[in-house]
Amino acid sequence: MSGTVEAKLASLGIVVPAATAPAANYVPTVVSGNLLWISGQISVANGQMMTGKLSSEADVEAGRAAARQCAINVIAQIKSALGDLDRVKRVVKLVGFVNSAPDFSDHPKVVNGASDLFVEVFGDAGRHARSAVGVAALPFNVSVEVEAVIEFA
């Protein structure tokens, strides 16, 4: 742990897990020019999936926690792909998918769990464009999935 971003993570009490392998026929990251495209990361921590449909099985706070965990998993993929988190110049775009009941409309509040963490960790470079989308289902009934585009040096 030598970099500025790693020190910030440590000060927040965040241990970045090893990047997970894909669950199907895709790659976790793709580099194109100076952009790192990160496949959707689900809400799983220490092998335990954070599950439940928002509104009927989980509340906004549980959803925010799940989105935050997705962001930590995105950071794990960044670290695996780039080797050094200080290479991140900008979090360009996040897309958050929220497993939600038809009556649920607080998707932005849920995905803020991921957005807030990126700003906390990367400062102004963590501010990004974003979509927060409600979906009928997600793999393994997880509550949230987040994908990202990262600009790096």
Side-chain angles (χ1 to χ4, degrees):
M1 218 171 53
S2 61
T4 305
V5 174
E6 296 264 3
K8 181 63 176 178
L9 287 163
S11 76
L12 295 170
I14 296 171
V15 176
V16 177
T20 58
N25 187 17
Y26 62 92
V27 294
T29 61
V30 171
V31 171
S32 180
N34 65 340
L35 295 177
L36 176 65
W37 297 75
I38 301 169
S39 295
Q41 300 298 300
I42 60 174
S43 50
V44 61
N46 301 318
Q48 297 293 100
M49 296 199 189
M50 301 167 83
T51 61
K53 189 171 289 295
L54 274 287
S55 183
S56 61
E57 300 170 345
D59 63 14
V60 170
E61 284 311 308
R64 282 180 55 82
R68 181 179 173 91
Q69 185 59 49
C70 291
I72 292 169
N73 295 338
V74 167
I75 291 170
Q77 293 295 346
I78 296 168
K79 185 174 179 178
S80 177
L82 301 180
D84 181 358
L85 293 172
D86 287 335
R87 291 182 65 194
V88 172
K89 287 180 65 176
R90 180 84 194 234
V91 178
V92 177
K93 171 86 182 214
L94 292 184
V95 180
F97 301 95
V98 180
N99 182 1
S100 56
D103 65 337
F104 188 76
S105 62
D106 283 333
H107 308 97
K109 290 180 184 175
V110 169
V111 179
N112 276 347
S115 294
D116 292 348
L117 182 69
F118 280 110
V119 172
E120 209 172 353
V121 170
F122 295 104
D124 282 341
R127 297 191 187 286
H128 49 270
R130 185 183 89 178
S131 298
V133 180
V135 296
L138 284 171
F140 313 112
N141 194 38
V142 294
S143 296
V144 182
E145 181 172 344
V146 174
E147 62 182 44
V149 179
I150 307 295
E151 180 184 8
F152 66 94

mmCIF file of all heavy atoms in Angstrom, residues 22-78:
data_model
loop_
_atom_site.group_PDB
_atom_site.id
_atom_site.type_symbol
_atom_site.label_atom_id
_atom_site.label_comp_id
_atom_site.label_asym_id
_atom_site.label_seq_id
_atom_site.Cartn_x
_atom_site.Cartn_y
_atom_site.Cartn_z
ATOM 1 N N PRO A 22 -15.058 -13.409 -13.996
ATOM 2 C CA PRO A 22 -16.396 -13.326 -14.600
ATOM 3 C C PRO A 22 -17.216 -14.588 -14.321
ATOM 4 O O PRO A 22 -16.665 -15.682 -14.220
ATOM 5 C CB PRO A 22 -16.108 -13.197 -16.089
ATOM 6 C CG PRO A 22 -14.695 -12.749 -16.180
ATOM 7 C CD PRO A 22 -14.004 -13.301 -14.982
ATOM 8 N N ALA A 23 -18.524 -14.399 -14.233
ATOM 9 C CA ALA A 23 -19.436 -15.518 -13.982
ATOM 10 C C ALA A 23 -19.965 -16.123 -15.281
ATOM 11 O O ALA A 23 -20.705 -17.095 -15.246
ATOM 12 C CB ALA A 23 -20.605 -15.053 -13.123
ATOM 13 N N ALA A 24 -19.592 -15.557 -16.414
ATOM 14 C CA ALA A 24 -20.083 -16.050 -17.709
ATOM 15 C C ALA A 24 -19.025 -15.740 -18.774
ATOM 16 O O ALA A 24 -17.873 -15.478 -18.456
ATOM 17 C CB ALA A 24 -21.424 -15.393 -18.044
ATOM 18 N N ASN A 25 -19.428 -15.726 -20.036
ATOM 19 C CA ASN A 25 -18.509 -15.570 -21.154
ATOM 20 C C ASN A 25 -18.267 -14.090 -21.485
ATOM 21 O O ASN A 25 -18.806 -13.565 -22.455
ATOM 22 C CB ASN A 25 -19.040 -16.321 -22.374
ATOM 23 C CG ASN A 25 -18.040 -16.344 -23.504
ATOM 24 O OD1 ASN A 25 -16.860 -16.088 -23.304
ATOM 25 N ND2 ASN A 25 -18.509 -16.648 -24.694
ATOM 26 N N TYR A 26 -17.479 -13.434 -20.651
ATOM 27 C CA TYR A 26 -17.092 -12.045 -20.875
ATOM 28 C C TYR A 26 -15.805 -11.797 -20.093
ATOM 29 O O TYR A 26 -15.379 -12.639 -19.293
ATOM 30 C CB TYR A 26 -18.187 -11.065 -20.430
ATOM 31 C CG TYR A 26 -18.519 -11.111 -18.960
ATOM 32 C CD1 TYR A 26 -17.865 -10.275 -18.058
ATOM 33 C CD2 TYR A 26 -19.463 -11.995 -18.463
ATOM 34 C CE1 TYR A 26 -18.158 -10.312 -16.699
ATOM 35 C CE2 TYR A 26 -19.756 -12.045 -17.114
ATOM 36 C CZ TYR A 26 -19.101 -11.211 -16.236
ATOM 37 O OH TYR A 26 -19.385 -11.258 -14.900
ATOM 38 N N VAL A 27 -15.187 -10.654 -20.307
ATOM 39 C CA VAL A 27 -13.994 -10.290 -19.545
ATOM 40 C C VAL A 27 -14.369 -9.203 -18.545
ATOM 41 O O VAL A 27 -15.296 -8.426 -18.787
ATOM 42 C CB VAL A 27 -12.846 -9.822 -20.471
ATOM 43 C CG1 VAL A 27 -12.361 -10.975 -21.341
ATOM 44 C CG2 VAL A 27 -13.260 -8.645 -21.333
ATOM 45 N N PRO A 28 -13.671 -9.130 -17.416
ATOM 46 C CA PRO A 28 -14.042 -8.144 -16.398
ATOM 47 C C PRO A 28 -13.716 -6.711 -16.789
ATOM 48 O O PRO A 28 -14.399 -5.785 -16.354
ATOM 49 C CB PRO A 28 -13.254 -8.575 -15.166
ATOM 50 C CG PRO A 28 -12.137 -9.413 -15.684
ATOM 51 C CD PRO A 28 -12.618 -10.024 -16.960
ATOM 52 N N THR A 29 -12.677 -6.526 -17.597
ATOM 53 C CA THR A 29 -12.282 -5.181 -18.009
ATOM 54 C C THR A 29 -11.783 -5.203 -19.447
ATOM 55 O O THR A 29 -11.295 -6.222 -19.927
ATOM 56 C CB THR A 29 -11.157 -4.605 -17.114
ATOM 57 O OG1 THR A 29 -10.005 -5.447 -17.226
ATOM 58 C CG2 THR A 29 -11.583 -4.490 -15.671
ATOM 59 N N VAL A 30 -11.906 -4.053 -20.106
ATOM 60 C CA VAL A 30 -11.358 -3.854 -21.445
ATOM 61 C C VAL A 30 -10.698 -2.483 -21.450
ATOM 62 O O VAL A 30 -11.299 -1.503 -21.007
ATOM 63 C CB VAL A 30 -12.457 -3.914 -22.532
ATOM 64 C CG1 VAL A 30 -11.909 -3.484 -23.885
ATOM 65 C CG2 VAL A 30 -13.064 -5.304 -22.614
ATOM 66 N N VAL A 31 -9.471 -2.430 -21.971
ATOM 67 C CA VAL A 31 -8.779 -1.158 -22.142
ATOM 68 C C VAL A 31 -8.912 -0.740 -23.592
ATOM 69 O O VAL A 31 -8.659 -1.529 -24.508
ATOM 70 C CB VAL A 31 -7.287 -1.281 -21.761
ATOM 71 C CG1 VAL A 31 -6.526 -0.017 -22.140
ATOM 72 C CG2 VAL A 31 -7.150 -1.569 -20.270
ATOM 73 N N SER A 32 -9.337 0.501 -23.801
ATOM 74 C CA SER A 32 -9.402 1.086 -25.138
ATOM 75 C C SER A 32 -8.818 2.489 -25.030
ATOM 76 O O SER A 32 -9.422 3.363 -24.392
ATOM 77 C CB SER A 32 -10.849 1.128 -25.644
ATOM 78 O OG SER A 32 -10.898 1.694 -26.936
ATOM 79 N N GLY A 33 -7.646 2.677 -25.602
ATOM 80 C CA GLY A 33 -6.960 3.956 -25.448
ATOM 81 C C GLY A 33 -6.625 4.172 -23.992
ATOM 82 O O GLY A 33 -6.011 3.314 -23.352
ATOM 83 N N ASN A 34 -7.057 5.300 -23.437
ATOM 84 C CA ASN A 34 -6.809 5.578 -22.023
ATOM 85 C C ASN A 34 -8.072 5.400 -21.178
ATOM 86 O O ASN A 34 -8.198 5.978 -20.110
ATOM 87 C CB ASN A 34 -6.227 6.975 -21.833
ATOM 88 C CG ASN A 34 -7.200 8.070 -22.236
ATOM 89 O OD1 ASN A 34 -8.145 7.833 -22.987
ATOM 90 N ND2 ASN A 34 -6.981 9.270 -21.739
ATOM 91 N N LEU A 35 -9.001 4.587 -21.697
ATOM 92 C CA LEU A 35 -10.229 4.295 -20.962
ATOM 93 C C LEU A 35 -10.262 2.830 -20.543
ATOM 94 O O LEU A 35 -9.939 1.940 -21.335
ATOM 95 C CB LEU A 35 -11.466 4.606 -21.805
ATOM 96 C CG LEU A 35 -11.676 6.063 -22.177
ATOM 97 C CD1 LEU A 35 -12.908 6.197 -23.064
ATOM 98 C CD2 LEU A 35 -11.813 6.948 -20.934
ATOM 99 N N LEU A 36 -10.665 2.604 -19.306
ATOM 100 C CA LEU A 36 -10.858 1.265 -18.766
ATOM 101 C C LEU A 36 -12.359 1.058 -18.604
ATOM 102 O O LEU A 36 -13.009 1.787 -17.844
ATOM 103 C CB LEU A 36 -10.150 1.134 -17.411
ATOM 104 C CG LEU A 36 -10.329 -0.182 -16.661
ATOM 105 C CD1 LEU A 36 -9.706 -1.340 -17.440
ATOM 106 C CD2 LEU A 36 -9.718 -0.071 -15.269
ATOM 107 N N TRP A 37 -12.900 0.103 -19.332
ATOM 108 C CA TRP A 37 -14.319 -0.230 -19.260
ATOM 109 C C TRP A 37 -14.457 -1.423 -18.324
ATOM 110 O O TRP A 37 -13.816 -2.455 -18.529
ATOM 111 C CB TRP A 37 -14.851 -0.573 -20.658
ATOM 112 C CG TRP A 37 -14.764 0.579 -21.613
ATOM 113 C CD1 TRP A 37 -13.651 1.068 -22.232
ATOM 114 C CD2 TRP A 37 -15.836 1.403 -22.034
ATOM 115 N NE1 TRP A 37 -13.971 2.140 -23.011
ATOM 116 C CE2 TRP A 37 -15.316 2.367 -22.916
ATOM 117 C CE3 TRP A 37 -17.202 1.412 -21.753
ATOM 118 C CZ2 TRP A 37 -16.102 3.334 -23.511
ATOM 119 C CZ3 TRP A 37 -17.990 2.372 -22.361
ATOM 120 C CH2 TRP A 37 -17.437 3.319 -23.236
ATOM 121 N N ILE A 38 -15.275 -1.278 -17.298
ATOM 122 C CA ILE A 38 -15.412 -2.318 -16.282
ATOM 123 C C ILE A 38 -16.804 -2.928 -16.359
ATOM 124 O O ILE A 38 -17.816 -2.222 -16.268
ATOM 125 C CB ILE A 38 -15.148 -1.748 -14.879
ATOM 126 C CG1 ILE A 38 -13.730 -1.154 -14.852
ATOM 127 C CG2 ILE A 38 -15.319 -2.823 -13.809
ATOM 128 C CD1 ILE A 38 -13.444 -0.340 -13.629
ATOM 129 N N SER A 39 -16.823 -4.238 -16.536
ATOM 130 C CA SER A 39 -18.090 -4.965 -16.578
ATOM 131 C C SER A 39 -18.836 -4.796 -15.257
ATOM 132 O O SER A 39 -18.234 -4.494 -14.218
ATOM 133 C CB SER A 39 -17.835 -6.460 -16.814
ATOM 134 O OG SER A 39 -17.264 -6.670 -18.075
ATOM 135 N N GLY A 40 -20.130 -5.015 -15.290
ATOM 136 C CA GLY A 40 -20.961 -4.857 -14.104
ATOM 137 C C GLY A 40 -20.449 -5.667 -12.926
ATOM 138 O O GLY A 40 -20.159 -6.854 -13.058
ATOM 139 N N GLN A 41 -20.332 -4.999 -11.790
ATOM 140 C CA GLN A 41 -19.913 -5.630 -10.542
ATOM 141 C C GLN A 41 -21.117 -5.706 -9.627
ATOM 142 O O GLN A 41 -21.796 -4.710 -9.403
ATOM 143 C CB GLN A 41 -18.783 -4.828 -9.889
ATOM 144 C CG GLN A 41 -17.549 -4.709 -10.756
ATOM 145 C CD GLN A 41 -16.930 -6.059 -11.063
ATOM 146 O OE1 GLN A 41 -16.527 -6.784 -10.145
ATOM 147 N NE2 GLN A 41 -16.871 -6.411 -12.331
ATOM 148 N N ILE A 42 -21.372 -6.898 -9.115
ATOM 149 C CA ILE A 42 -22.562 -7.105 -8.294
ATOM 150 C C ILE A 42 -22.266 -6.855 -6.816
ATOM 151 O O ILE A 42 -21.116 -6.757 -6.399
ATOM 152 C CB ILE A 42 -23.165 -8.501 -8.515
ATOM 153 C CG1 ILE A 42 -22.168 -9.601 -8.148
ATOM 154 C CG2 ILE A 42 -23.651 -8.639 -9.954
ATOM 155 C CD1 ILE A 42 -22.742 -11.006 -8.211
ATOM 156 N N SER A 43 -23.330 -6.781 -6.048
ATOM 157 C CA SER A 43 -23.220 -6.498 -4.615
ATOM 158 C C SER A 43 -22.917 -7.787 -3.849
ATOM 159 O O SER A 43 -23.804 -8.457 -3.348
ATOM 160 C CB SER A 43 -24.506 -5.835 -4.101
ATOM 161 O OG SER A 43 -25.654 -6.562 -4.490
ATOM 162 N N VAL A 44 -21.615 -8.092 -3.799
ATOM 163 C CA VAL A 44 -21.139 -9.257 -3.051
ATOM 164 C C VAL A 44 -19.933 -8.827 -2.221
ATOM 165 O O VAL A 44 -19.063 -8.100 -2.707
ATOM 166 C CB VAL A 44 -20.801 -10.443 -3.989
ATOM 167 C CG1 VAL A 44 -19.702 -10.100 -4.958
ATOM 168 C CG2 VAL A 44 -20.453 -11.688 -3.215
ATOM 169 N N ALA A 45 -19.919 -9.241 -0.953
ATOM 170 C CA ALA A 45 -18.821 -8.924 -0.042
ATOM 171 C C ALA A 45 -18.458 -10.184 0.734
ATOM 172 O O ALA A 45 -19.337 -10.855 1.282
ATOM 173 C CB ALA A 45 -19.232 -7.820 0.925
ATOM 174 N N ASN A 46 -17.178 -10.500 0.748
ATOM 175 C CA ASN A 46 -16.693 -11.683 1.479
ATOM 176 C C ASN A 46 -17.466 -12.942 1.092
ATOM 177 O O ASN A 46 -17.807 -13.750 1.956
ATOM 178 C CB ASN A 46 -16.774 -11.451 2.990
ATOM 179 C CG ASN A 46 -15.975 -10.262 3.426
ATOM 180 O OD1 ASN A 46 -14.860 -10.052 2.956
ATOM 181 N ND2 ASN A 46 -16.548 -9.449 4.300
ATOM 182 N N GLY A 47 -17.766 -13.067 -0.181
ATOM 183 C CA GLY A 47 -18.478 -14.243 -0.669
ATOM 184 C C GLY A 47 -19.968 -14.248 -0.387
ATOM 185 O O GLY A 47 -20.678 -15.163 -0.790
ATOM 186 N N GLN A 48 -20.469 -13.230 0.292
ATOM 187 C CA GLN A 48 -21.888 -13.141 0.624
ATOM 188 C C GLN A 48 -22.563 -12.133 -0.292
ATOM 189 O O GLN A 48 -22.146 -10.979 -0.362
ATOM 190 C CB GLN A 48 -22.082 -12.710 2.078
ATOM 191 C CG GLN A 48 -21.534 -13.700 3.087
ATOM 192 C CD GLN A 48 -22.322 -14.981 3.069
ATOM 193 O OE1 GLN A 48 -21.911 -15.968 2.467
ATOM 194 N NE2 GLN A 48 -23.460 -14.981 3.702
ATOM 195 N N MET A 49 -23.607 -12.578 -0.974
ATOM 196 C CA MET A 49 -24.338 -11.684 -1.868
ATOM 197 C C MET A 49 -25.325 -10.845 -1.074
ATOM 198 O O MET A 49 -25.990 -11.344 -0.174
ATOM 199 C CB MET A 49 -25.046 -12.495 -2.933
ATOM 200 C CG MET A 49 -24.071 -13.222 -3.810
ATOM 201 S SD MET A 49 -24.785 -13.724 -5.343
ATOM 202 C CE MET A 49 -23.453 -14.748 -5.938
ATOM 203 N N MET A 50 -25.372 -9.572 -1.428
ATOM 204 C CA MET A 50 -26.331 -8.647 -0.827
ATOM 205 C C MET A 50 -27.544 -8.670 -1.757
ATOM 206 O O MET A 50 -27.500 -8.103 -2.848
ATOM 207 C CB MET A 50 -25.708 -7.265 -0.705
ATOM 208 C CG MET A 50 -24.446 -7.287 0.153
ATOM 209 S SD MET A 50 -23.456 -5.789 0.032
ATOM 210 C CE MET A 50 -24.328 -4.753 1.201
ATOM 211 N N THR A 51 -28.576 -9.372 -1.342
ATOM 212 C CA THR A 51 -29.698 -9.663 -2.222
ATOM 213 C C THR A 51 -30.970 -8.951 -1.789
ATOM 214 O O THR A 51 -31.064 -8.410 -0.693
ATOM 215 C CB THR A 51 -29.970 -11.175 -2.262
ATOM 216 O OG1 THR A 51 -30.296 -11.615 -0.947
ATOM 217 C CG2 THR A 51 -28.767 -11.948 -2.783
ATOM 218 N N GLY A 52 -31.943 -9.015 -2.671
ATOM 219 C CA GLY A 52 -33.275 -8.517 -2.376
ATOM 220 C C GLY A 52 -33.714 -7.412 -3.300
ATOM 221 O O GLY A 52 -32.943 -6.544 -3.679
ATOM 222 N N LYS A 53 -34.951 -7.508 -3.669
ATOM 223 C CA LYS A 53 -35.581 -6.510 -4.537
ATOM 224 C C LYS A 53 -35.915 -5.281 -3.702
ATOM 225 O O LYS A 53 -36.530 -5.389 -2.637
ATOM 226 C CB LYS A 53 -36.843 -7.109 -5.158
ATOM 227 C CG LYS A 53 -37.455 -6.263 -6.236
ATOM 228 C CD LYS A 53 -38.561 -7.019 -6.955
ATOM 229 C CE LYS A 53 -38.072 -8.131 -7.835
ATOM 230 N NZ LYS A 53 -37.276 -7.735 -8.985
ATOM 231 N N LEU A 54 -35.490 -4.108 -4.185
ATOM 232 C CA LEU A 54 -35.753 -2.867 -3.459
ATOM 233 C C LEU A 54 -37.243 -2.581 -3.456
ATOM 234 O O LEU A 54 -37.917 -2.762 -4.465
ATOM 235 C CB LEU A 54 -34.988 -1.703 -4.090
ATOM 236 C CG LEU A 54 -33.549 -1.500 -3.615
ATOM 237 C CD1 LEU A 54 -33.513 -0.927 -2.219
ATOM 238 C CD2 LEU A 54 -32.702 -2.724 -3.731
ATOM 239 N N SER A 55 -37.721 -2.180 -2.329
ATOM 240 C CA SER A 55 -39.101 -1.860 -2.001
ATOM 241 C C SER A 55 -39.755 -3.050 -1.330
ATOM 242 O O SER A 55 -40.246 -2.909 -0.233
ATOM 243 C CB SER A 55 -39.925 -1.399 -3.206
ATOM 244 O OG SER A 55 -41.224 -1.041 -2.782
ATOM 245 N N SER A 56 -39.727 -4.233 -1.938
ATOM 246 C CA SER A 56 -40.444 -5.362 -1.361
ATOM 247 C C SER A 56 -39.581 -6.227 -0.438
ATOM 248 O O SER A 56 -40.101 -6.846 0.482
ATOM 249 C CB SER A 56 -41.058 -6.230 -2.460
ATOM 250 O OG SER A 56 -40.051 -6.744 -3.305
ATOM 251 N N GLU A 57 -38.259 -6.268 -0.671
ATOM 252 C CA GLU A 57 -37.381 -7.131 0.136
ATOM 253 C C GLU A 57 -36.227 -6.382 0.802
ATOM 254 O O GLU A 57 -35.551 -6.941 1.657
ATOM 255 C CB GLU A 57 -36.790 -8.251 -0.731
ATOM 256 C CG GLU A 57 -37.818 -9.151 -1.359
ATOM 257 C CD GLU A 57 -37.231 -10.098 -2.400
ATOM 258 O OE1 GLU A 57 -36.091 -9.904 -2.852
ATOM 259 O OE2 GLU A 57 -37.949 -11.041 -2.760
ATOM 260 N N ALA A 58 -35.971 -5.172 0.379
ATOM 261 C CA ALA A 58 -34.860 -4.384 0.934
ATOM 262 C C ALA A 58 -35.233 -2.906 0.880
ATOM 263 O O ALA A 58 -36.002 -2.490 0.011
ATOM 264 C CB ALA A 58 -33.581 -4.642 0.135
ATOM 265 N N ASP A 59 -34.683 -2.138 1.815
ATOM 266 C CA ASP A 59 -34.982 -0.702 1.839
ATOM 267 C C ASP A 59 -33.856 0.100 1.176
ATOM 268 O O ASP A 59 -32.841 -0.454 0.753
ATOM 269 C CB ASP A 59 -35.262 -0.226 3.258
ATOM 270 C CG ASP A 59 -34.068 -0.369 4.196
ATOM 271 O OD1 ASP A 59 -32.926 -0.584 3.741
ATOM 272 O OD2 ASP A 59 -34.279 -0.249 5.419
ATOM 273 N N VAL A 60 -34.040 1.401 1.101
ATOM 274 C CA VAL A 60 -33.070 2.269 0.429
ATOM 275 C C VAL A 60 -31.695 2.160 1.070
ATOM 276 O O VAL A 60 -30.678 2.102 0.369
ATOM 277 C CB VAL A 60 -33.565 3.741 0.406
ATOM 278 C CG1 VAL A 60 -32.462 4.681 -0.066
ATOM 279 C CG2 VAL A 60 -34.784 3.879 -0.493
ATOM 280 N N GLU A 61 -31.620 2.118 2.393
ATOM 281 C CA GLU A 61 -30.308 2.039 3.062
ATOM 282 C C GLU A 61 -29.586 0.738 2.724
ATOM 283 O O GLU A 61 -28.374 0.735 2.524
ATOM 284 C CB GLU A 61 -30.446 2.232 4.564
ATOM 285 C CG GLU A 61 -30.682 3.679 4.947
ATOM 286 C CD GLU A 61 -29.696 4.656 4.299
ATOM 287 O OE1 GLU A 61 -28.462 4.456 4.395
ATOM 288 O OE2 GLU A 61 -30.154 5.638 3.675
ATOM 289 N N ALA A 62 -30.324 -0.368 2.667
ATOM 290 C CA ALA A 62 -29.706 -1.642 2.255
ATOM 291 C C ALA A 62 -29.234 -1.543 0.809
ATOM 292 O O ALA A 62 -28.166 -2.050 0.457
ATOM 293 C CB ALA A 62 -30.694 -2.794 2.424
ATOM 294 N N GLY A 63 -30.010 -0.874 -0.026
ATOM 295 C CA GLY A 63 -29.622 -0.677 -1.420
ATOM 296 C C GLY A 63 -28.380 0.190 -1.541
ATOM 297 O O GLY A 63 -27.480 -0.097 -2.339
ATOM 298 N N ARG A 64 -28.312 1.261 -0.751
ATOM 299 C CA ARG A 64 -27.115 2.133 -0.757
ATOM 300 C C ARG A 64 -25.877 1.344 -0.343
ATOM 301 O O ARG A 64 -24.806 1.496 -0.929
ATOM 302 C CB ARG A 64 -27.296 3.317 0.192
ATOM 303 C CG ARG A 64 -28.169 4.432 -0.345
ATOM 304 C CD ARG A 64 -28.303 5.575 0.661
ATOM 305 N NE ARG A 64 -27.016 6.096 1.103
ATOM 306 C CZ ARG A 64 -26.284 6.989 0.438
ATOM 307 N NH1 ARG A 64 -26.706 7.459 -0.709
ATOM 308 N NH2 ARG A 64 -25.131 7.416 0.930
ATOM 309 N N ALA A 65 -26.015 0.507 0.666
ATOM 310 C CA ALA A 65 -24.888 -0.317 1.121
ATOM 311 C C ALA A 65 -24.467 -1.294 0.026
ATOM 312 O O ALA A 65 -23.266 -1.516 -0.194
ATOM 313 C CB ALA A 65 -25.263 -1.064 2.403
ATOM 314 N N ALA A 66 -25.442 -1.851 -0.671
ATOM 315 C CA ALA A 66 -25.133 -2.769 -1.778
ATOM 316 C C ALA A 66 -24.416 -2.026 -2.901
ATOM 317 O O ALA A 66 -23.440 -2.530 -3.475
ATOM 318 C CB ALA A 66 -26.415 -3.425 -2.281
ATOM 319 N N ALA A 67 -24.867 -0.809 -3.219
ATOM 320 C CA ALA A 67 -24.221 -0.014 -4.272
ATOM 321 C C ALA A 67 -22.803 0.359 -3.864
ATOM 322 O O ALA A 67 -21.881 0.341 -4.692
ATOM 323 C CB ALA A 67 -25.046 1.241 -4.571
ATOM 324 N N ARG A 68 -22.619 0.693 -2.602
ATOM 325 C CA ARG A 68 -21.266 0.998 -2.103
ATOM 326 C C ARG A 68 -20.351 -0.209 -2.271
ATOM 327 O O ARG A 68 -19.199 -0.080 -2.689
ATOM 328 C CB ARG A 68 -21.346 1.427 -0.639
ATOM 329 C CG ARG A 68 -20.003 1.787 -0.031
ATOM 330 C CD ARG A 68 -20.194 2.229 1.426
ATOM 331 N NE ARG A 68 -18.950 2.424 2.123
ATOM 332 C CZ ARG A 68 -18.299 3.579 2.187
ATOM 333 N NH1 ARG A 68 -18.789 4.650 1.609
ATOM 334 N NH2 ARG A 68 -17.153 3.673 2.853
ATOM 335 N N GLN A 69 -20.877 -1.396 -1.970
ATOM 336 C CA GLN A 69 -20.063 -2.601 -2.132
ATOM 337 C C GLN A 69 -19.742 -2.838 -3.603
ATOM 338 O O GLN A 69 -18.634 -3.261 -3.936
ATOM 339 C CB GLN A 69 -20.756 -3.821 -1.525
ATOM 340 C CG GLN A 69 -19.888 -5.060 -1.568
ATOM 341 C CD GLN A 69 -18.568 -4.879 -0.819
ATOM 342 O OE1 GLN A 69 -18.560 -4.410 0.327
ATOM 343 N NE2 GLN A 69 -17.458 -5.242 -1.435
ATOM 344 N N CYS A 70 -20.687 -2.562 -4.482
ATOM 345 C CA CYS A 70 -20.405 -2.663 -5.924
ATOM 346 C C CYS A 70 -19.251 -1.745 -6.295
ATOM 347 O O CYS A 70 -18.362 -2.128 -7.070
ATOM 348 C CB CYS A 70 -21.635 -2.284 -6.745
ATOM 349 S SG CYS A 70 -22.999 -3.442 -6.669
ATOM 350 N N ALA A 71 -19.235 -0.531 -5.746
ATOM 351 C CA ALA A 71 -18.162 0.428 -6.031
ATOM 352 C C ALA A 71 -16.821 -0.109 -5.545
ATOM 353 O O ALA A 71 -15.799 0.034 -6.229
ATOM 354 C CB ALA A 71 -18.476 1.779 -5.405
ATOM 355 N N ILE A 72 -16.803 -0.725 -4.380
ATOM 356 C CA ILE A 72 -15.564 -1.337 -3.874
ATOM 357 C C ILE A 72 -15.107 -2.427 -4.836
ATOM 358 O O ILE A 72 -13.908 -2.546 -5.140
ATOM 359 C CB ILE A 72 -15.767 -1.871 -2.442
ATOM 360 C CG1 ILE A 72 -15.962 -0.699 -1.479
ATOM 361 C CG2 ILE A 72 -14.596 -2.755 -2.009
ATOM 362 C CD1 ILE A 72 -16.438 -1.092 -0.091
ATOM 363 N N ASN A 73 -16.050 -3.198 -5.362
ATOM 364 C CA ASN A 73 -15.704 -4.255 -6.314
ATOM 365 C C ASN A 73 -15.219 -3.675 -7.640
ATOM 366 O O ASN A 73 -14.344 -4.262 -8.289
ATOM 367 C CB ASN A 73 -16.883 -5.203 -6.494
ATOM 368 C CG ASN A 73 -17.206 -5.952 -5.214
ATOM 369 O OD1 ASN A 73 -16.364 -6.088 -4.327
ATOM 370 N ND2 ASN A 73 -18.425 -6.427 -5.097
ATOM 371 N N VAL A 74 -15.759 -2.532 -8.047
ATOM 372 C CA VAL A 74 -15.240 -1.834 -9.229
ATOM 373 C C VAL A 74 -13.792 -1.410 -8.972
ATOM 374 O O VAL A 74 -12.916 -1.590 -9.831
ATOM 375 C CB VAL A 74 -16.119 -0.612 -9.600
ATOM 376 C CG1 VAL A 74 -15.416 0.291 -10.611
ATOM 377 C CG2 VAL A 74 -17.467 -1.065 -10.159
ATOM 378 N N ILE A 75 -13.523 -0.879 -7.801
ATOM 379 C CA ILE A 75 -12.157 -0.473 -7.455
ATOM 380 C C ILE A 75 -11.221 -1.675 -7.492
ATOM 381 O O ILE A 75 -10.068 -1.566 -7.951
ATOM 382 C CB ILE A 75 -12.131 0.252 -6.092
ATOM 383 C CG1 ILE A 75 -12.835 1.611 -6.228
ATOM 384 C CG2 ILE A 75 -10.697 0.428 -5.583
ATOM 385 C CD1 ILE A 75 -13.097 2.327 -4.903
ATOM 386 N N ALA A 76 -11.695 -2.826 -7.062
ATOM 387 C CA ALA A 76 -10.878 -4.049 -7.144
ATOM 388 C C ALA A 76 -10.516 -4.364 -8.597
ATOM 389 O O ALA A 76 -9.377 -4.751 -8.892
ATOM 390 C CB ALA A 76 -11.623 -5.225 -6.509
ATOM 391 N N GLN A 77 -11.469 -4.178 -9.501
ATOM 392 C CA GLN A 77 -11.191 -4.434 -10.923
ATOM 393 C C GLN A 77 -10.209 -3.397 -11.480
ATOM 394 O O GLN A 77 -9.339 -3.731 -12.290
ATOM 395 C CB GLN A 77 -12.487 -4.440 -11.734
ATOM 396 C CG GLN A 77 -13.419 -5.593 -11.424
ATOM 397 C CD GLN A 77 -12.867 -6.962 -11.790
ATOM 398 O OE1 GLN A 77 -11.887 -7.099 -12.509
ATOM 399 N NE2 GLN A 77 -13.525 -7.999 -11.298
ATOM 400 N N ILE A 78 -10.352 -2.138 -11.041
ATOM 401 C CA ILE A 78 -9.411 -1.097 -11.477
ATOM 402 C C ILE A 78 -7.996 -1.479 -11.037
ATOM 403 O O ILE A 78 -7.046 -1.438 -11.826
ATOM 404 C CB ILE A 78 -9.784 0.289 -10.890
ATOM 405 C CG1 ILE A 78 -11.128 0.767 -11.416
ATOM 406 C CG2 ILE A 78 -8.689 1.314 -11.205
ATOM 407 C CD1 ILE A 78 -11.688 1.978 -10.671
#
